[in-house]
Amino acid sequence: MGMQYIDAEMLRKAFLAGAKGLEAKKEWINELNVFPVPDGDTGTNMTMTIMAAAKEVAAIENPTMEAVAKAISSGSLRGARGNSGVILSQLFRGFTKEIAAVDQVTVTILAHAFVRASETAYKAVMKPKEGTILTVARGMSEKASELALETDDVLEFCRKVIEHGDYVLSQTPEMLPVLKQAGVVDSGGQGLMQVMKGAFDGLSGKEVDLSVQLEGKSSAHSSMEGARLEEVDIKFGYCTEFIINLEKPYDNREENQFKAYLESIGDSLVVVSDDDIVKVHVHTNDPGLAIQKALTYGSLSRMKIDNMREEHQERLIQDAEKMAAQQKGQEKKEEPRKLYGFISVSAGEGLDEIFRGIGADYLIQGGQTMNPSTEDMLNAIDQVNADTIYILPNNKNIILAAQQAKSLVEDKKVIVIPSKTIPQGITAIINFAPDLSPEDNETIMTKEMGRVKTGQVTYAVRNTTIDDIEIREGDIMALGDTGILTVGKDIGETVLKALEAMVEEESELVTIYYGKEVSEKDAEEIRGKAEEMFSGCEVELHSGGQPIYYYLVSVE
């Protein structure tokens, strides 16, 4: 007779199994990155996105379809990182909208859910590209619509949908030449198929480890590779986290009062409201006071209190304190609301100083080594007390998360300037004119940053051939705005060859940002050679402090 429907508990198990299936393969998916750079992060981004939702789902004690659907949608929406993570969250959003109102999901409802998932994800991307996760999702939705007319067995339906998804995935190199040349399938599509296969295992009764770590770790603030802080005294000793299940009115006024109270008894405060739940994180010396106040709004769940003074792992303490210091240093000031403010993603201490110097109000640590989540963006927006807030993602893989955060904000005007590189972000802020309207500034900032050419110099992590250029593991690569600029064996020579490819007769300014792995002496030597080679340009040198990328260079 087969399986005729999926109930809430079965959906919960299938989703958790899908999350674990993706998590188990995340490094393999990372390695499918077309460019062999040491930051292929599709697997990581998709895993962190789905695990944010898995934590919500795992915490449900008596699952209903509505509760599971909401946890999947809300958790993935706010936890989304990178383009692949945002698209995955949109797939979940569309899927769960179709199933939330029923108690049992049949093949017919599943087919509608697959179609709605695909349509929702396509709408979220301004310029959808075929040969990606979107294509794989649409292929499965089309197959699902066909199968709904042929079978009412859920397992048979899912098995055939997955088989077709694998086929569509195998065809992605034929749709995107860059995939074919690199000898890989689309990494986002592969990630989606791992979710599907894991979910099928959970649905069909295969023994799967469904355990999920409910305690989370901070996002971009503590993500910078190799970051260290000197040990400091812990002012507030208890890291306190919980969720309020709202049972009483909780409007903006109540939320502000609640935040003000928590700030009076602690620091490192993060409060995120989502429909009828409120997520709270605070460092305090009296967790009981925070809990008592929270209970005035509703019941509590997922309570966690850690004594940070007894923490034996030094790095965890240091990272938590770093986050607290950054949050405290950038929190809203008690002053009249400004007309405008700026949030920028940055990737190193030197770059931080530059952004602050040109007017950035709040910095989110991230970039190539770690893409900030939608919730990171929302927290930053909450901290900037301004009517209009401009967000500079400074990375093409962060733009969608910023746009998703924008769609969730109602009390401020948020404008995402689609900067794809750090130099573009710097140029955008410099060209801001306070006397112009937000719309005019958006136009000018976007136009001016489009004049900037960017090169990023790093090393190859595997052998491949791209654009007919043979690349060997360990080679030094310079990546431009549209592809590879040059490949070499020496860092300095590669930087100069990249600049040669970028500088044109009308170019006026060359800017070089050296990373944390580069000495000032070596950087000065490159600057000197660049001044000789490009005598018609002004050449600037700055310490960027960025990881993984030896140099960022720009030409205007």
Side-chain angles (χ1 to χ4, degrees), residues 334-363:
E334 293 300 324
E335 58 185 27
R337 190 171 170 116
K338 300 192 300 181
L339 293 176
Y340 56 84
F342 300 94
I343 295 169
S344 177
V345 176
S346 185
E349 292 182 3
L351 296 172
D352 291 352
E353 291 181 11
I354 292 171
F355 276 115
R356 290 193 186 100
I358 58 177
D361 296 277
Y362 193 100
L363 299 179

Side-chain angles (χ1 to χ4, degrees), residues 147-211:
L147 289 169
L149 303 175
E150 301 173 7
T151 181
D152 59 0
D153 185 339
V154 170
L155 292 180
E156 180 185 359
F157 170 89
C158 290
R159 182 169 55 250
K160 290 184 177 180
V161 167
I162 290 171
E163 287 175 359
H164 188 70
D166 274 338
Y167 169 74
V168 176
L169 177 64
S170 73
Q171 298 303 300
T172 56
E174 304 303 321
M175 304 175 206
L176 281 178
V178 68
L179 294 176
K180 190 169 187 177
Q181 199 170 33
V184 296
V185 296
D186 177 67
S187 55
Q190 186 67 267
L192 177 59
M193 293 314 301
Q194 293 309 128
V195 174
M196 293 293 297
K197 291 173 183 178
F200 183 76
D201 285 343
L203 200 60
S204 57
K206 184 176 179 179
E207 193 67 30
V208 179
D209 176 17
L210 301 180
S211 60

